[in-house]
Amino acid sequence: PSPPVRSRERMGYSLKPIQIRFVSYLVYVLAFGYFVIKADDFNRLLKRSYESTYDFTGVFLFMSLFPIIVGILLALPQFFVSYMRKGSWKVDWVALLAMGLPALVVAITPMLVNLSFEGQLVASILLHPSLVTVAGILFGFVLVTSFNKQESE
């Protein structure tokens, strides 16, 4: 006779929704940490390149784009929860315009240095590294969280 077939539920292997969420968040945090480490390695490579070529374009581009990507990544869990809901997509234009647009302007300030004299003047006022970083994270987060689903009425 063949041995009895054991289901995953009987053996205690079925994952409950809370366990799936926990594992999902854990994988997310590990992937996020890996991304940050690799991005930091790339940033160091750009800085070494700058030291030999004196071309700061890559460094300033990274300085603008990396925080935006971090903000997008931080908003992904909330976006996926919204994505799984039933309903139609809505855009929160107030948040995008009131928070996102000013944050975007500050976040891309390092890229303005290569532009005209006026761009350099604006950049010199707003080119505080912490301000650029926080503005980039804010813009990326607002960009993603401004899109959400609302249940149909």
Side-chain angles (χ1 to χ4, degrees):
S2 62
V5 177
R6 296 183 185 189
S7 69
R8 288 177 18 176
E9 286 84 14
R10 283 191 198 158
M11 300 208 38
Y13 293 125
S14 81
L15 292 176
K16 297 178 175 100
I18 188 115
Q19 293 168 324
I20 292 171
R21 273 185 64 213
F22 179 82
V23 170
S24 299
Y25 282 127
L26 185 61
V27 168
Y28 165 78
V29 167
L30 293 173
F32 186 85
Y34 181 78
F35 169 76
V36 169
I37 289 168
K38 289 301 175 184
D40 187 53
D41 291 345
F42 183 64
N43 188 31
R44 276 192 247 130
L45 177 73
L46 288 172
K47 287 181 179 178
R48 276 196 302 261
S49 172
Y50 166 73
E51 290 170 357
S52 62
T53 64
Y54 299 106
D55 180 16
F56 53 79
T57 307
V59 174
F60 281 169
L61 191 61
F62 183 87
M63 189 177 174
S64 291
L65 295 181
F66 176 68
I68 294 172
I69 295 169
V70 167
I72 290 170
L73 292 176
L74 287 173
L76 281 183
Q78 182 178 340
F79 179 79
F80 285 130
V81 168
S82 183
Y83 177 79
M84 299 305 283
R85 278 192 229 132
K86 293 184 178 180
S88 58
W89 286 99
K90 303 290 180 189
V91 178
D92 185 354
W93 289 106
V94 173
L96 268 176
L97 294 174
M99 291 188 297
L101 189 59
L104 175 63
V105 169
V106 173
I108 64 169
T109 299
M111 292 188 286
L112 298 176
V113 172
N114 289 333
L115 297 177
S116 65
F117 174 74
E118 294 83 11
Q120 291 178 359
L121 182 62
V122 170
S124 68
I125 296 168
L126 298 176
L127 194 57
H128 189 280
S130 296
L131 183 60
V132 170
T133 300
V134 171
I137 292 170
L138 176 64
F139 172 71
F141 189 85
V142 169
L143 178 67
V144 174
T145 58
S146 293
F147 295 90
N148 54 43
K149 279 188 180 176
Q150 292 182 348
E151 290 185 24
S152 304
E153 296 171 12

